[in-house]
Amino acid sequence: MEDVKRVLVLGSGALKIGQSGEFDYSGSQALKALREDGKFTILINPNVATVQTSEGVADAIYYLPITPAFVEKVIQKEKPDGIMLAFGGQTALNCGVELYKSGILEKYGIKVLGTPVQAIINTEDRELFADMMHSINVKTPRSEAVNNMDEALKVVKEIGYPVIVRAAYTLGGLGSGFCSNDEELKKVAASAFSYSPQILVEESLKGWKEIEYEVVRDRYDNCITVCNMENFDPLGIHTGESVVVAPSQTLSDHEYHKLRRIAIDIIRHVGIVGECNVQYALDPNSDDYRVIEVNARLSRSSALASKATGYPLAFVAAKLGLGYGLDEIPNSVTKVTSACFEPALDYVVCKIPRWDLGKFEGVSRLIGSSMKSVGEIMSIGRTFEEAIQKGMRMIGQGLHGFVCNNVHVPDIEAELVNPTDRRLPAIELAFTQGYTVDKLHELTRIDKWFLCRLANIHNIKEQLAGAGSLEKVSEDLLREAKCMGFSDYQIGKICIAADKMNPHEKQAAVRKYRKGLGILPVVKQIDTLAGEYPAFTNYLYITYNGTENDVQFEQDGNSVIVLGSGAYRIGSSVEFDWCGVAAVKKIQEMGYRAVMINYNPETVSTDYDTCDRLFFDELTLERVLDICDMEAPKGVIVSTGGQIPNNLALLLDHEGINILGTSAKSIDMAEDRQKFSEMCDSLGIDQPRWKELTSMDDIWSFVDEVGLPVLIRPSYVLSGAAMRVVSDRAELETALNNAAVVSQEHPVVVTEFLQRAKEVEIDAVAQNGVIKCYAISEHIEFAGVHSGDATVVFPAQKLYYETIRQIKKISKKIAGALNISGPFNIQFLAKENSIKVIECNLRASRSFPFVSKITKFNFIGMATEIMLGREVEPFGKTFADIDYVGVKCSQFSFARLLKADPILGVDMASTGEVACIGDNYHEALLKSMISVGTRVPSKEKGILLSSGPTKSKIDLLDAARILDDYGYKIYATSGTARFLEENGVKVQEVLHWPDSDEKPNVIDYMRGGKIDLAINIPKNNTARELQNGYQIRRTAVDFNIPLITNARQASAFIYAFCKIGVDGLAIKRIDEYV
Amino acid sequence: MEKEAILILEDGTRYKGRSFGYEKSVSGELVFYTAMTGYPESLSDPSYKGQILVPTFPLIGNYGVPGDETVNGISKFYESDRIQCSALVIAQYSAEYSHWDSAKSLGEWLKKWEVPGIYGIDTRALTKRLREKGAMLGKIVFGDEDIPFYDPNKDNLVAQVSCPEIKHYGNGKYKVLMVDCGMKNNILRCLLDYNVQIKRVPWNYDFSGEDYDGLFISNGPGDPAMCTETIANIRKALQQDKPIMGICLGNQLLALAAGAKTYKLKYGHRGHNQTVRIPGTHKCFVTSQNHGFAIDDSTLPADWERMFENLNDGTNEGIKHKSKPFFSTQFHPEASSGPTDTGNLFGMFVENMIEHSKK
């Protein structure tokens, strides 16, 4: 056993594309394993919304950036003797490798627990890795760098066609292409050489299957593979962008075990102690293979594998890091068997990515070798058809399953060959148009087995449609349809004539008819051993492919169901997982049975250890009703899982389900814009003026009334026509007319937009309409930046007392009028003490974990007590008592989203957040901004100021002066430079616009590494300025230069790093503040 | 739509399914196995003789079944030359299959060998019943064609699946005498990777006068106590010092020959995920298993010891002689189907022959 007492665990920081909530789950499991062994645990993770940073998960928690400098300071203070690097994604791994390379770990005598760092380095370096694989006769893709055409032709002779040619050192695949003969090679290579003096010629594995194995090894050299997974999409589509199926479905035993054997050879050779992931390409026409990648750490796939099998990989990996053998760890599901085994599944799971590409301007919807998805779901069934249809409903993009969707795909064939986020619906459209499985296989290279299963779903839809009416559908066919994953909604839509009822009535009619025939789902357990050993597991899913329930329900009214938050997406992420888990904990503490429904494999709430019963299943009306039928619960909590459960409240209430806390009617009152406005009017509460309008004429006359700018919110969104602020008539016309998005059926909501108004939020909990606790926070940016993207300060530092008083008054009125019992959040605009309400949600908001952790008072805990009917005392502390400050910053993933304009607006674009605490506002802000990757610039390099409209120029003037005073080099674009110099600020050099031929050019300076911070404030004016601004912003993202696009945030950051500096930041545990 | 068929258990439980194989009523012993791949290998494994197989993995038939090619006189893909089990009971059948080396569908293959297959069964519910009540007799009934239950363990199944005559394989240096009690082909394939030649003999062949370097006792179906002739032959070999290796039934026969006892497990071990450990160490192996009987360790004579133990239930997974080169395993180092982690045991056997030939 490793002789360590204090173990440092590095978290993964803010959620971003490619590194999401899965690491909250991994880290939480690791901490649990460590504490079970009596270790003192130290966690560094600035992600305030995570479960792992909650009280009681680790012994010492630091909300600090995960960078070597900060980690070293924590090491100096906490004196750990062990460190774990494998549980915080690439962020933790990279930081750990740097700590190792710089000798810091050795200096402080810290032992790396688990896989040695050198082994990690060996897998991270492409060449070292390839050499290592070849030394044990494992094949990797062949790739050669060449410097001229002759060399290219020669290399192809060895590798053989087809090949892929890539230009070295270019971004975004410039100059790359696929070649199947000399002629094509000459063409593509010539183009590639025009971008770069060196090109890479690689063997093409296009159309090969992509397979993954999760492998575990202990110090005794025992190896197991916990799970294998098969990508539905062939190689070429990043595994994070693929539908993934576990276990593999199209591999023979020979192939399965050949790849398994190689995975074990690799893990032994690399010397992993813990867990790793091996990715393969497998030839669909032979058993030839290539190893694509090895991840020597817990990964997204390992989190998925854990959820898919019930095998707690992260927990086991942490124990192995402590020196246990696999045979010494019990199987946590069965308790009687050992963790040294390979799970047997008796179901199939599908992972489907969730994209939010519509949220970004300029980004391509094509999916390919880089990851763009922001979340994922996992669906479980006993047929593939059942799992995939469930899964398509789960991703929450309005799909009803594989069939019955209203998805517009302009060119199906193009979509099939070059897939986008609409690939699955496009396949269904193709079936409708008579495409055969063979043809689809040819176009998509998706294995025919999967396509046949999808064809099967399509065929059943045709059979259902052929029946003519619901009553004419035979019992057998109806049962078959349910076994193939059809929802009652789908069946209603197919079988009941459109004019007869609305979709909800149809769904209800199918449900009634089906139940009358005795066609009911059953509950099955996930037990890791396919039923071989008795398991008292509470990890459940629902299927129609069965005749017997695995569990008996008490139906004693002591179950409380918590609806989870579904797939992570922009606007709903790990914060709601924290809320759900907090609710579950409180429910249990109060002596009730906590039942969770959720299907997001990246969460802690779907860890079967978290609750008394976990239904890893859909959050649809149909499924929640099924579960309510089984549980006969005391009630359902809909207010801790974000918008999905919130939207179900009214529907569940109609079906007689007890909604705990605030009534469904009140929820509806707050959600329905019209009703809410009427209520505000009657309470004398001011709102920005708005109207729902159906013609351009009406819009013009409303604009004449309120003036520009206005906020427009189309209800029918074509790409690029989402919610936005428009500042002149031409822009308004372009936005609405060109897209033809205004009509009787698709009204547009137009709202007056207040410029330079502060945005303030209240997070609160009320009981029977009386507020019991609240937190008021303010945004650093003026209104116009989505609250999910804004930098939030709590307690609010710069509000007038009068503003605070009014906000409290208004909140009290609303809480009373809606008779709120539970969590809620209201957003306000404040301008010169005139307060307007912009939004009210009768549920927990994104900032609940933030304010709960900063106040060390669990808002959700109190809300849960209230929802369960316990009388609570008001939270006594007033926020004037808090003598420290929390600042929450947003994390953006623009680097992953090629071509996207990294600009902030009224629609949310951030993928994650962090929060840090400081003794003052600037200290907290600086820690927080560094945590999302905004490096403090070096004085050797310069700071680019391109400060947009006059008002931003004025806003930035003081900050520019401070930069000048502190000896920073300022580079500026012409207008900004003129303004600064007129005001006595020294500008090092004036840089020309990107589209200018004159030197020095701003883009050259950015590419040349002369700029260490770019401040570009967008100016919505001429097309030329927009284009130039875009190029500056995009170049900053592509060249990893910190970018700030908001003047107020930029000023605050500059002030903080100049006046306080990194060395002035206190290294304190949360409990040293709170 | 396919014909309906009813699965009836000894305890009266009935499950309604649909046929995708040969349509005839059949009875046998119901056993479940938890492997997720390898139905062509399992169905052709003679150890399943007389049994109705219930895979716990619900999706079966996805990759079809391979062709009938042979290499060195051994089927390239299958574990014997036919389907051995009595019937197959699954949850979901893939009539459309997809694999580069498939030749036909699973349904077609079942029909060829006149073996029934039914789908649409809640195999998890069935598995739990078998787990709780123990392995049970069962029958699949088509229409009115009812038939009595049949207990295969009362028959000498080994005699039914063993080779009728002697066969030779390979031309290497070391001579292996293979007692075929229902041997899986992959045992031959594994051994032939070494410098050996194999003489495969029927289960009751008296080999005491034979010239060989090593004795191999294969896997096979049913109750080991039925093979009295084989046990008697092995007992003679135990008097000598020539290397012996056994697998599965071979393990049990070796134990019985040595004087130990065997017993029937409640529902056996059948799958790819059973872990065995070398006693007294942390050394573990994931193995492929398929057995309903086991050795009672406490009855092992003093000169024998446990070689492997089951990590989950502690049952015996192999024995070895304390001084002579005799060993056997309850699991299947030849895999096919299943994990290949213990394939080096064949090397150990060959090493033993090499060592012995030096004496």
Side-chain angles (χ1 to χ4, degrees):
Chain A
M1 226 44 64
E2 297 289 356
D3 180 25
V4 290
K5 292 187 178 65
R6 298 171 71 84
V7 180
L8 176 61
V9 176
L10 300 184
S12 65
L15 270 60
K16 47 190 163 192
I17 292 177
Q19 188 166 291
S20 184
E22 63 270 19
F23 299 110
D24 187 20
Y25 168 63
S26 312
S28 299
Q29 289 260 314
L31 290 164
K32 192 170 90 180
L34 289 170
R35 295 187 95 196
E36 195 184 84
D37 253 45
K39 308 298 178 197
F40 183 87
T41 54
I42 305 144
L43 171 69
I44 306 178
N45 191 359
N47 191 333
V48 72
T50 52
V51 174
Q52 59 180 257
T53 55
S54 304
E55 201 183 342
V57 179
D59 295 299
I61 300 170
Y62 288 85
Y63 292 158
L64 286 175
I66 301 152
T67 61
F70 281 95
V71 175
E72 183 177 3
K73 285 178 182 168
V74 172
I75 289 172
Q76 283 166 350
K77 183 168 169 188
E78 291 287 346
K79 303 188 171 43
D81 44 15
I83 188 168
M84 287 195 162
L85 306 173
F87 301 91
Q90 202 62 32
T91 300
L93 204 68
N94 290 348
C95 183
V97 169
E98 280 184 59
L99 289 167
Y100 168 80
K101 284 184 174 167
S102 60
I104 290 170
L105 298 180
E106 201 187 341
K107 179 175 162 192
Y108 295 98
I110 300 172
K111 196 166 170 68
V112 174
L113 305 174
T115 304
V117 179
Q118 191 55 50
I120 296 168
I121 295 170
N122 293 345
T123 58
E124 295 275 306
D125 181 299
R126 287 200 87 79
E127 253 175 70
L128 276 179
F129 175 68
D131 291 347
M132 214 160 63
M133 290 303 100
H134 300 158
S135 75
I136 52 167
N137 295 319
V138 168
K139 293 180 174 181
T140 60
R142 304 183 59 184
S143 170
E144 297 269 355
V146 299
N147 299 305
N148 56 52
M149 191 66 79
D150 287 344
E151 280 179 33
L153 288 162
K154 212 174 102 191
V155 161
V156 165
K157 295 239 156 33
E158 292 161 29
I159 293 178
Y161 284 111
V163 294
I164 293 177
V165 168
R166 294 179 209 279
Y169 322 112
T170 61
L171 279 166
L174 281 175
S176 73
F178 184 78
C179 328
S180 354
N181 53 49
D182 280 359
E183 202 179 322
E184 285 177 20
L185 177 76
K186 282 177 189 159
K187 211 167 115 196
V188 177
S191 151
F193 278 124
S194 75
Y195 288 100
S196 163
Q198 192 179 63
I199 65 170
L200 298 171
V201 179
E202 299 178 358
E203 73 173 320
S204 165
L205 304 172
K206 199 173 171 181
W208 283 36
K209 296 179 188 185
E210 193 169 347
I211 311 287
E212 293 182 64
Y213 279 72
E214 297 301 320
V215 205
V216 176
R217 176 171 173 269
D218 69 10
R219 65 186 316 191
Y220 304 110
D221 205 22
N222 293 318
C223 299
I224 58 168
T225 62
V226 166
C227 185
N228 92 335
M229 293 176 270
E230 174 171 11
N231 286 10
F232 167 92
D233 301 286
L235 201 76
I237 295 177
H238 190 287
T239 176
E241 303 287 274
S242 293
V243 173
V244 175
V245 180
S248 62
Q249 295 299 319
T250 71
L251 267 59
S252 67
D253 185 72
H254 166 75
E255 288 164 333
Y256 182 106
H257 285 286
K258 175 174 173 167
L259 298 186
R260 178 187 172 280
R261 176 81 252 153
I262 294 165
I264 289 174
D265 289 347
I266 291 172
I267 196 173
R268 286 200 165 123
H269 189 66
V270 173
I272 305 278
V273 177
E275 201 267 354
C276 85
N277 156 280
V278 183
Q279 287 174 27
Y280 296 96
L282 179 67
D283 185 354
N285 299 310
S286 77
D287 67 350
D288 199 9
Y289 75 93
R290 301 288 182 276
V291 171
I292 304 291
E293 201 175 303
V294 168
N295 281 305
R297 57 169 169 84
L298 276 294
S299 61
R300 179 178 46 259
S301 296
S302 63
L304 179 66
S306 296
K307 299 288 160 88
T309 59
Y311 190 100
L313 273 167
F315 180 86
V316 170
K319 290 284 188 197
L320 300 183
L322 287 175
Y324 284 90
L326 273 166
D327 58 325
E328 295 172 302
I329 307 168
N331 176 337
S332 50
V333 170
T334 62
K335 318 275 186 211
V336 296
T337 58
S338 140
C340 190
F341 79 109
E342 302 192 345
L345 281 59
D346 57 4
Y347 48 86
V348 57
V349 311
C350 284
K351 178 218 86 175
I352 307 179
R354 153 87 191 206
W355 291 277
D356 265 331
L357 297 173
K359 297 254 182 195
F360 303 99
E361 294 249 353
V363 73
S364 153
R365 293 185 88 109
L366 290 175
I367 58 172
S369 55
S370 70
M371 187 165 164
K372 293 177 177 174
S373 64
V374 290
E376 64 188 33
I377 61 87
M378 184 180 96
S379 57
I380 310 171
R382 277 176 59 86
T383 62
F384 175 76
E385 292 89 332
E386 183 176 47
I388 193 93
Q389 290 227 77
K390 272 182 166 187
M392 288 179 72
R393 287 190 283 275
M394 287 171 175
I395 55 172
Q397 282 172 322
L399 302 179
H400 297 292
F402 180 62
V403 296
C404 304
N405 300 312
N406 278 323
V407 176
H408 177 69
V409 178
D411 182 344
I412 291 178
E413 195 139 329
E415 171 67 41
L416 295 171
V417 177
N418 296 305
T420 71
D421 52 344
R422 301 188 196 97
R423 149 170 272 195
L424 280 167
I427 293 174
E428 207 268 330
L429 290 172
F431 281 129
T432 313
Q433 297 192 0
Y435 281 62
T436 60
V437 163
D438 285 339
K439 178 74 182 166
L440 280 168
H441 172 67
E442 195 185 300
L443 294 170
T444 62
R445 310 315 292 175
I446 295 169
D447 193 281
K448 284 184 197 171
W449 186 83
F450 292 114
L451 294 170
C452 286
R453 311 272 55 85
L454 295 177
N456 195 22
I457 301 173
H458 174 77
N459 293 339
I460 288 169
K461 181 188 105 176
E462 302 280 292
Q463 287 176 44
L464 287 168
S469 74
L470 181 60
E471 293 69 29
K472 287 185 190 148
V473 175
S474 71
E475 190 184 329
D476 275 351
L477 179 57
L478 191 57
R479 198 181 294 277
E480 170 92 355
K482 293 306 282 183
C483 288
M484 295 300 139
F486 281 74
S487 66
D488 290 345
Y489 183 99
Q490 283 173 304
I491 295 169
K493 190 169 175 188
I494 299 165
C495 300
I496 302 174
D499 51 354
K500 280 203 164 167
M501 321 170 178
N502 73 34
H504 283 304
E505 291 165 347
K506 287 182 187 177
Q507 177 178 355
V510 174
R511 183 173 183 86
K512 190 165 170 237
Y513 179 71
R514 172 174 63 70
K515 284 171 92 170
L517 290 173
I519 302 174
L520 299 172
V522 295
V523 178
K524 296 286 182 193
Q525 293 168 308
I526 289 183
D527 65 5
T528 71
L529 287 166
E532 185 180 1
Y533 280 83
F536 305 99
T537 164
N538 53 15
Y539 183 5
L540 310 170
Y541 68 99
I542 288 183
T543 177
Y544 277 86
N545 294 282
T547 49
E548 197 179 288
N549 280 332
D550 272 356
V551 285
Q552 305 307 317
F553 295 92
E554 301 82 354
Q555 303 208 325
D556 55 4
N558 281 323
S559 294
V560 177
I561 297 179
V562 180
L563 304 187
S565 60
Y568 287 164
R569 65 195 70 188
I570 290 178
S572 172
S573 179
V574 65
E575 60 275 8
F576 293 113
D577 192 48
W578 179 86
C579 291
V581 171
V584 160
K585 292 294 158 209
K586 181 55 80 177
I587 291 166
Q588 291 177 324
E589 207 181 292
M590 291 175 71
Y592 293 99
R593 194 179 300 112
V595 179
M596 172 57 76
I597 311 177
N598 199 7
Y599 47 74
N600 180 340
E602 306 179 310
T603 58
V604 178
S605 63
T606 54
D607 182 352
Y608 52 82
D609 281 3
T610 301
C611 54
D612 295 295
R613 262 202 287 272
L614 167 65
F615 286 88
F616 207 107
D617 220 290
E618 294 177 67
L619 287 162
T620 54
L621 177 66
E622 176 179 351
R623 193 45 33 96
V624 176
L625 288 176
D626 291 339
I627 293 168
C628 287
D629 284 350
M630 293 165 180
E631 288 280 359
K634 175 182 170 67
V636 178
I637 290 182
V638 297
S639 57
T640 55
Q643 206 53 36
I644 294 175
N646 208 48
N647 292 346
L648 284 173
L650 206 55
L651 298 169
L652 288 168
D653 185 59
H654 277 314
E655 299 290 335
I657 303 298
N658 183 25
I659 303 298
L660 294 170
T662 312
S663 73
K665 200 169 153 248
S666 290
I667 295 173
D668 182 53
M669 178 94 86
E671 289 285 314
D672 185 305
R673 201 178 292 278
Q674 199 68 46
K675 290 179 190 166
F676 184 69
S677 261
E678 282 162 16
M679 187 193 80
C680 285
D681 289 348
S682 73
L683 294 173
I685 296 168
D686 203 10
Q687 279 191 291
R689 285 169 290 174
W690 66 276
K691 264 191 179 150
E692 192 173 83
L693 302 165
T694 52
S695 76
M696 277 316 282
D697 286 346
D698 292 347
I699 291 173
W700 290 127
S701 62
F702 182 70
V703 167
D704 288 341
E705 187 189 326
V706 300
L708 286 162
V710 291
L711 174 68
I712 54 167
R713 222 184 292 240
S715 56
Y716 177 63
V717 175
L718 281 175
S719 74
M723 183 160 72
R724 61 165 71 184
V725 174
V726 290
S727 34
D728 60 49
R729 297 179 78 93
E731 202 185 336
L732 180 64
E733 191 134 19
T734 320
L736 294 179
N737 252 358
N738 282 5
V741 290
V742 200
S743 70
Q744 206 63 40
E745 300 87 70
H746 303 298
V748 172
V749 174
V750 184
T751 310
E752 79 171 308
F753 182 79
L754 273 75
Q755 285 175 290
R756 300 179 77 79
K758 280 197 168 190
E759 201 168 328
V760 184
E761 290 189 52
I762 187 167
D763 289 310
V765 179
Q767 183 157 39
N768 302 322
V770 179
I771 293 179
K772 297 289 185 174
C773 73
Y774 69 92
I776 296 171
S777 39
E778 67 179 317
H779 295 188
I780 292 182
E781 297 83 356
F782 282 136
V785 172
H786 190 281
S787 66
D789 288 347
T791 313
V792 181
V793 185
F794 174 77
Q797 299 290 304
K798 293 181 176 178
L799 293 183
Y800 298 118
Y801 271 98
E802 174 61 19
T803 302
I804 294 177
R805 195 160 40 239
Q806 282 199 46
I807 282 171
K808 275 159 61 178
K809 266 189 194 161
I810 295 172
S811 304
K812 274 182 191 165
K813 277 190 200 168
I814 292 177
L818 294 170
N819 195 26
I820 299 173
S821 278
F824 70 101
N825 161 279
I826 307 174
Q827 291 166 30
F828 302 91
L829 291 181
K831 197 172 177 182
E832 289 127 21
N833 284 330
S834 131
I835 310 295
K836 294 180 199 296
V837 169
I838 44 179
E839 205 177 311
C840 171
N841 290 304
L842 302 196
R843 55 166 173 80
S845 76
R846 167 177 318 113
S847 37
F848 267 61
F850 174 53
V851 297
S852 294
K853 286 178 184 176
I854 302 297
T855 56
K856 205 179 181 181
F857 179 76
N858 193 324
F859 279 47
I860 296 295
M862 179 188 255
T864 307
E865 282 182 76
I866 292 171
M867 290 187 278
L868 290 175
R870 183 185 282 177
E871 201 60 46
V872 301
E873 287 300 309
F875 175 53
K877 216 194 263 180
T878 71
F879 296 104
D881 297 339
I882 297 178
D883 45 13
Y884 51 87
V885 182
V887 171
K888 180 160 85 76
C889 271
S890 299
Q891 171 79 54
F892 298 90
S893 297
F894 293 119
R896 293 269 184 177
L897 298 161
L898 218 63
K899 295 184 186 163
D901 189 353
I903 193 174
L904 305 190
V906 286
D907 213 353
M908 186 168 161
S910 65
T911 53
E913 62 187 24
V914 300
C916 297
I917 306 180
D919 290 315
N920 58 55
Y921 162 64
H922 285 108
E923 194 198 344
L925 177 92
L926 188 54
K927 285 177 181 171
S928 195
M929 287 191 68
I930 296 172
S931 294
V932 292
T934 323
R935 292 187 309 269
V936 170
S938 94
K939 286 188 181 168
E940 278 72 56
K941 296 182 179 182
I943 295 166
L944 172 70
L945 293 180
S946 169
S947 54
T950 316
K951 277 182 179 162
S952 330
K953 287 191 169 62
I954 298 168
D955 286 344
L956 275 170
L957 184 58
D958 282 346
R961 210 165 263 143
I962 295 173
L963 284 178
D964 193 15
D965 290 348
Y966 277 78
Y968 282 95
K969 279 185 231 168
I970 297 176
Y971 296 96
T973 47
S974 53
T976 308
R978 205 177 315 124
F979 178 83
L980 292 174
E981 283 176 338
E982 278 167 12
N983 286 285
V985 177
K986 192 184 155 209
V987 174
Q988 186 83 18
E989 250 178 303
V990 181
L991 302 178
H992 289 282
W993 285 105
D995 67 353
S996 163
D997 291 335
E998 290 178 74
K999 304 279 165 188
N1001 188 285
V1002 59
I1003 300 296
D1004 295 339
Y1005 270 50
M1006 295 175 86
R1007 289 189 178 155
K1010 290 185 178 167
I1011 309 277
D1012 213 15
L1013 172 66
I1015 295 167
N1016 172 275
I1017 315 302
K1019 184 170 165 183
N1020 284 352
N1021 233 329
T1022 64
R1024 179 182 171 209
E1025 285 191 21
L1026 276 179
Q1027 183 55 27
N1028 275 316
Y1030 166 75
Q1031 283 212 35
I1032 291 174
R1033 293 189 290 274
R1034 194 61 230 180
T1035 307
V1037 169
D1038 290 340
F1039 285 82
N1040 195 25
I1041 301 166
L1043 168 73
I1044 303 177
T1045 60
N1046 182 283
R1048 286 169 62 86
Q1049 195 198 24
S1051 295
F1053 180 60
I1054 290 169
Y1055 187 92
F1057 74 73
C1058 288
K1059 298 277 184 182
I1060 295 174
V1062 178
D1063 293 333
L1065 298 175
I1067 304 297
K1068 289 192 194 174
R1069 294 192 303 268
I1070 315 177
D1071 56 8
E1072 290 177 83
Y1073 290 105
V1074 183
Chain B
M1 218 171 194
E2 302 89 341
K3 230 181 200 173
E4 198 173 280
I6 312 280
L7 170 67
I8 305 171
L9 271 54
E10 208 177 350
D11 68 355
T13 320
R14 298 161 80 91
Y15 296 88
K16 205 163 74 177
R18 294 197 176 276
S19 169
F20 69 100
Y22 191 72
E23 290 168 9
K24 73 165 182 198
S25 297
V26 67
S27 60
E29 183 187 24
L30 268 164
V31 294
F32 68 86
Y33 77 93
T34 63
M36 299 183 285
T37 52
Y39 55 84
E41 291 86 350
S42 294
L43 265 64
S44 59
D45 178 350
S47 295
Y48 283 115
K49 183 75 187 173
Q51 293 176 328
I52 298 174
L53 240 56
V54 185
T56 57
F57 190 68
L59 312 182
I60 302 293
N62 301 6
Y63 52 88
V65 297
D68 295 321
E69 298 91 317
T70 58
V71 176
N72 303 326
I74 307 166
S75 165
K76 191 174 166 192
F77 299 105
Y78 295 108
E79 290 311 308
S80 69
D81 55 8
R82 54 168 297 129
I83 297 183
Q84 299 284 357
C85 63
S86 301
L88 183 63
V89 173
I90 64 173
Q92 167 81 1
Y93 173 58
S94 279
E96 307 92 350
Y97 57 92
S98 166
H99 199 269
W100 58 273
D101 77 357
S102 60
K104 52 180 165 289
S105 73
L106 172 60
E108 287 163 346
W109 189 43
L110 286 167
K111 283 172 191 152
K112 177 182 167 190
W113 293 102
E114 301 188 355
V115 175
I118 59 170
Y119 74 94
I121 304 293
D122 186 342
T123 44
R124 181 168 169 89
L126 175 56
T127 297
K128 284 172 65 191
R129 186 160 288 270
L130 296 177
R131 176 188 84 205
E132 272 145 31
K133 301 208 167 179
M136 240 189 272
L137 303 186
K139 58 187 175 184
I140 291 171
V141 175
F142 282 83
D144 305 329
E145 194 196 343
D146 200 2
I147 47 165
F149 287 109
Y150 160 67
D151 184 354
N153 294 311
K154 293 194 171 127
D155 279 343
N156 186 343
L157 300 171
V158 169
Q160 295 174 31
V161 294
S162 178
C163 57
E165 60 214 17
I166 294 168
K167 286 184 188 168
H168 292 272
Y169 305 88
N171 46 17
K173 180 169 172 195
Y174 300 98
K175 294 181 199 127
V176 177
L177 191 110
M178 169 73 66
V179 183
D180 177 6
C181 301
M183 183 204 64
K184 278 167 70 185
N185 282 334
N186 211 44
I187 297 177
L188 293 179
R189 299 184 201 112
C190 286
L191 283 170
L192 289 171
D193 283 345
Y194 299 92
N195 187 15
V196 302
Q197 50 175 288
I198 300 168
K199 180 175 181 180
R200 175 182 181 178
V201 302
W203 67 285
N204 53 357
Y205 181 84
D206 184 0
F207 49 80
S208 38
E210 293 280 324
D211 167 34
Y212 63 87
D213 298 309
L215 174 65
F216 204 105
I217 312 153
S218 83
N219 64 301
D223 186 346
M226 292 283 174
C227 302
T228 45
E229 292 165 76
T230 323
I231 296 165
N233 290 334
I234 297 169
R235 199 167 282 143
K236 283 183 258 176
L238 291 178
Q239 305 311 311
Q240 307 174 31
D241 296 328
K242 287 185 191 172
I244 303 178
M245 176 172 172
I247 289 178
C248 198
L249 183 75
N251 179 49
Q252 295 155 10
L253 295 176
L254 192 62
L256 291 171
K261 289 192 167 63
T262 58
Y263 63 101
K264 192 169 194 306
L265 295 166
K266 190 175 177 192
Y267 50 89
H269 296 154
R270 292 177 187 87
H272 293 170
N273 66 343
Q274 297 277 347
T275 304
V276 304
R277 178 165 61 186
I278 298 175
T281 73
H282 287 288
K283 202 65 218 143
C284 300
F285 305 92
V286 182
T287 65
S288 174
Q289 301 211 0
N290 168 21
H291 62 108
F293 290 82
I295 297 171
D296 178 356
D297 270 341
S298 63
T299 61
L300 276 177
D303 46 356
W304 287 80
E305 62 185 4
R306 247 186 192 211
M307 190 175 179
F308 298 100
E309 62 199 6
N310 188 293
L311 194 55
N312 287 336
D313 62 11
T315 54
N316 180 278
E317 290 287 357
I319 55 170
K320 65 175 180 187
H321 194 274
K322 285 180 180 166
S323 55
K324 295 185 180 183
F326 306 157
F327 74 92
S328 58
T329 64
Q330 190 53 61
F331 55 87
H332 290 264
E334 81 283 7
S336 191
S337 58
T340 53
D341 301 2
T342 50
N344 60 343
L345 288 171
F346 292 101
M348 196 167 128
F349 172 61
V350 174
E351 277 304 310
N352 284 345
M353 289 194 288
I354 296 169
E355 280 302 309
H356 183 74
S357 68
K358 286 180 188 158
K359 284 178 188 168

